[in-house]
Amino acid sequence: MTGTTQAPSPPTGGRGSGEGGTRDPGYNFAYLDESTKRMIRRAILKAVAIPGHQVPFGSREMPLPYGWGTGGIQVTAAILGPADVLKVIDQGADDTTNAVSIRAFFRRVAGVATTERTAEATVIQTRHRIPERALHEDQVLVYQVPIPEPLMRLEPRIAETKRLHAMADYGLMHVKLYEDIARHGHIATSYNYPVMVNGRYLMSPSPIPAFDNPKMDRMPALQLFGAGREKRIYAVPPYTPVRSLDFEDHPFRPIRAQHPCTLCGSTDSYLDEVLTDDVGGRIFVCSDTDWCGERQQAKAAVE
Amino acid sequence: MSEALLSARDLALRFGRVAALDGVAIDIWPGEVVAIVGESGSGKTTLLRVLSGLARPDAGSVHYAGQDVLAAGEAARRRLMRTEWGFVHQNPRDGLRMGVSAGGNIGERLMATGHRHYGGIRAAAAEWLRRVEIDPARMDESPRKFSGGMQQRLQIARTLVTQPRLVFMDEPTGGLDVSVQARLLDLIRALVAELGLAVLIVTHDIAAARLLAHRILVMRHGRVVEEGLTDRVLDDPQHPYTQLLVASVLAA
């Protein structure tokens, strides 16, 4: 089967001016078939209309295992146009296995241009980080979400958590924070820190560090969250208030290692601790590789 | 006399061929303790569940402070349950969060009603632990480490911390040994008098009912067969079933 008559005409559009590569004609554009993409887009539209609310969708089998970003990759596939420029990060890094293979996947099945530069990307799929560089209105941030339900560990019955969301009955989440303070003297949740979206829905920000939570608040870019195994999509539209939960006398504090980046000297980015030898040598470097690289280049140019 | 706090009329609920409730009417006035007694399967607990909105009757009406409870939405019922009402379960494991510390258990209702000051919540929790005779130093311990009587007292503290006006109690002394029961009854009596609570207590323990209640309802086969002041009902039972019930109490 050549498929030339059956294949839908290549889609147009997209936010960027990506050159596009050559796409494998054996696949429909962006891997998923058109009706699946429509179904996911419907879920996305509903999610954008109700910020923070989890919308169920018919998650498909994707050619990668659960937990590697099956939700994120489906959302990306549904919103991608040929002119888009895709960036994929895993823990802030562009060069990790998962990021490299998802970029290669979309180059092959959608023929879109890919980049490692945050400023150039129109669609950024991310696992566990928000880029340090402030995002703008023409960009979409797609999160890979393992567990979309913020109340999961507190209330095991899904029917009951739905009811709690419907009634905005979120005392339980504060009980968790209370227990943290009672045990550790401070709120010890350092990632996947629960947030209230638009003053209504309690939302799991996916396992990003609490350090990144303030970046979600009134972000100009659209934020989409895809959970493949749990079959949920949710969203934070541009400029939506996102508040981290806390107590009046124990306010939310983003946590950061108290060091400058060894490579670029940044004192306000999120850091990874890296072992350098087997005698306890360690350095702290930016987790956002693009941010760190740009700063190193700028520094070299000045010198 | 002022208006009844909780007022139910013509309640009916059938489980298949069994009538759990058959034309039951009940009124509870502010500050009053009402006991429902009767044998197992007489519809006591079902009545409690219907009145507190946990189950829906087939027919009848329930009004709380002039508001139709059955017609109100689930959100309104939950708000009542969080603020104006309390429910003490027979088994403390049903009413407590066993994975959460004692302080967290007491604080949950406060946090659910919008308290966001950690120090304030903690002070309230310590105060309530003291009132139910648990050492406040054990605030951060799991209720799993508490004895049955302590768990039940913790459940009462957790229920009363938001100062409800009406508390439903389902056999609060069931499953405890007699000396612990006596202390718990004493505590409930003191708290009820101090806070001016209205309490609807379900029990099959006639002695506990005599100790706590102002009024008694005797239920059998889903009907209220006799109703009146506690001493009147227990000292001069009119209905043959009540006479049997009172005669069956063991004297120590």
Side-chain angles (χ1 to χ4, degrees):
Chain A
M1 288 241 286
T2 53
T4 44
T5 50
Q6 288 166 346
S9 53
T12 55
R15 282 145 292 264
S17 52
E19 316 237 321
T22 46
R23 115 181 136 81
D24 188 333
Y27 293 99
N28 188 34
F29 179 79
Y31 187 76
L32 293 172
D33 62 273
E34 293 303 311
S35 56
T36 299
K37 285 195 278 185
R38 263 199 297 279
M39 174 270 294
I40 296 176
R41 285 173 198 148
R42 274 200 298 273
I44 293 175
L45 286 174
K46 190 169 174 185
V48 170
I50 317 171
H53 173 62
Q54 300 166 47
V55 181
F57 78 110
S59 176
R60 301 293 193 249
E61 290 282 337
M62 296 302 282
L64 80 167
Y66 286 132
W68 287 38
T70 49
I73 208 173
Q74 288 181 78
V75 170
T76 303
I79 63 170
L80 217 51
D84 271 318
V85 181
L86 178 69
K87 170 183 164 86
V88 182
I89 52 174
D90 177 356
Q91 306 272 11
D94 293 278
D95 52 4
T96 47
T97 315
N98 213 6
V100 170
S101 19
I102 291 176
R103 274 203 305 274
F105 173 76
F106 280 115
R107 264 202 309 276
R108 179 170 168 202
V109 298
V112 295
T114 57
T115 180
E116 297 192 355
R117 300 180 67 88
T118 308
E120 290 170 4
T122 58
V123 176
I124 303 172
Q125 184 176 330
T126 175
R127 173 174 179 268
H128 297 194
R129 271 317 303 281
I130 295 175
E132 301 289 352
R133 172 188 281 274
L135 301 181
H136 52 80
E137 286 177 5
D138 297 336
Q139 295 177 309
V140 181
L141 188 58
V142 178
Y143 296 78
Q144 304 170 193
V145 183
I147 296 172
E149 179 51 70
L151 299 167
M152 177 85 130
R153 289 194 183 277
L154 304 163
E155 175 53 70
R157 294 165 295 179
I158 292 290
E160 181 64 16
T161 60
K162 278 187 181 168
R163 206 168 292 134
L164 293 177
H165 281 297
M167 308 283 160
D169 192 349
Y170 295 136
L172 199 52
M173 197 75 238
H174 270 91
V175 173
K176 156 87 170 60
L177 300 181
Y178 169 94
E179 290 287 292
D180 258 11
I181 304 176
R183 270 194 213 134
H184 308 288
H186 58 96
I187 298 176
T189 307
S190 57
Y191 67 97
N192 208 355
Y193 192 106
V195 292
M196 281 297 277
V197 179
N198 207 18
R200 174 59 183 85
Y201 279 99
L202 180 70
M203 188 185 91
S204 157
S206 86
I208 59 170
F211 176 84
D212 282 344
N213 272 17
K215 293 181 194 154
M216 304 180 85
D217 186 31
R218 294 168 211 275
M219 183 192 274
L222 171 65
Q223 303 174 69
L224 301 175
F225 299 77
R229 181 178 44 207
E230 302 290 330
K231 303 179 172 49
R232 293 288 185 280
I233 284 174
Y234 51 101
V236 177
Y239 301 108
T240 305
V242 176
R243 198 175 54 77
S244 305
L245 295 187
D246 59 2
F247 286 100
E248 288 160 12
D249 47 347
H250 284 265
F252 169 79
R253 275 182 307 116
I255 302 160
R256 178 184 179 277
Q258 291 304 314
H259 295 273
C261 169
T262 308
L263 301 178
C264 75
S266 171
T267 53
D268 52 7
S269 67
Y270 193 73
L271 301 177
D272 286 339
E273 187 175 5
V274 181
L275 296 182
T276 50
D277 50 39
D278 55 2
V279 292
R282 62 192 57 196
I283 56 169
F284 288 88
V285 295
C286 293
S287 115
D288 187 336
T289 50
D290 173 54
W291 169 262
C292 198
E294 271 182 24
R295 283 179 52 92
Q296 287 176 60
Q297 276 174 15
K299 218 160 66 171
V302 169
E303 285 160 10
Chain B
M1 195 167 217
S2 61
E3 203 186 326
L5 193 59
L6 186 80
S7 163
R9 290 287 172 274
D10 305 322
L11 292 177
L13 178 62
R14 301 187 72 86
F15 296 125
R17 292 174 53 201
V18 182
L21 295 177
D22 186 4
V24 174
I26 187 171
D27 286 306
I28 301 164
W29 275 272
E32 184 186 40
V33 180
V34 178
I36 306 175
V37 298
E39 63 195 0
S40 303
S42 61
K44 305 187 299 277
T45 300
T46 306
L47 177 59
L48 201 66
R49 289 176 57 81
V50 165
L51 291 177
S52 61
L54 292 176
R56 272 193 95 75
D58 296 335
S61 68
V62 180
H63 283 82
Y64 173 78
Q67 181 190 354
D68 189 340
V69 176
L70 298 174
E74 194 186 347
R77 253 201 317 278
R78 277 184 171 244
R79 199 173 319 116
L80 274 180
M81 209 60 187
R82 281 205 300 263
T83 55
E84 302 261 305
W85 294 356
F87 200 109
V88 176
H89 295 263
Q90 174 174 7
N91 187 340
R93 281 170 203 80
D94 295 338
L96 293 174
R97 286 191 191 280
M98 299 309 279
V100 170
S101 71
N105 264 296
I106 298 180
E108 179 175 351
R109 269 173 77 104
L110 288 174
M111 290 182 252
T113 50
H115 285 69
R116 294 289 178 266
H117 193 280
Y118 176 78
I121 292 166
R122 232 163 138 76
E127 165 65 13
W128 270 98
L129 283 174
R130 197 187 52 70
R131 284 177 94 157
V132 297
E133 298 165 19
I134 298 174
D135 183 0
R138 301 189 67 177
M139 178 143 75
D140 294 330
E141 283 182 30
S142 155
R144 274 183 236 279
K145 292 187 185 165
F146 289 4
S147 69
M150 281 173 79
Q151 287 180 0
Q152 196 57 285
R153 278 181 275 146
L154 180 61
Q155 194 193 178
I156 288 170
R158 164 189 162 91
T159 307
L160 297 186
V161 65
T162 49
Q163 314 224 319
R165 294 174 68 194
L166 174 62
V167 178
F168 302 96
M169 295 190 181
D170 188 4
E171 313 222 11
T173 57
L176 300 175
D177 67 49
V178 268
S179 60
V180 177
Q181 269 190 28
R183 274 184 67 197
L184 190 66
L185 287 172
D186 231 29
L187 177 77
I188 294 176
R189 206 150 74 128
L191 287 174
V192 164
E194 195 180 327
L195 302 170
L197 292 174
V199 178
L200 184 64
I201 183 166
V202 159
T203 181
H204 53 230
D205 182 349
I206 303 283
R210 188 193 278 276
L211 200 63
L212 286 175
H214 302 125
R215 272 196 310 135
I216 281 190
L217 275 76
V218 183
M219 285 191 73
R220 190 182 192 210
H221 299 328
R223 291 171 172 275
V224 177
V225 295
E226 188 163 357
E227 169 176 12
L229 296 177
T230 306
D231 290 344
R232 209 282 291 150
V233 171
L234 296 183
D235 294 342
D236 180 19
Q238 306 285 311
H239 191 275
Y241 175 68
T242 316
Q243 291 168 358
L244 176 72
L245 207 62
V246 172
S248 315
V249 176
L250 297 175

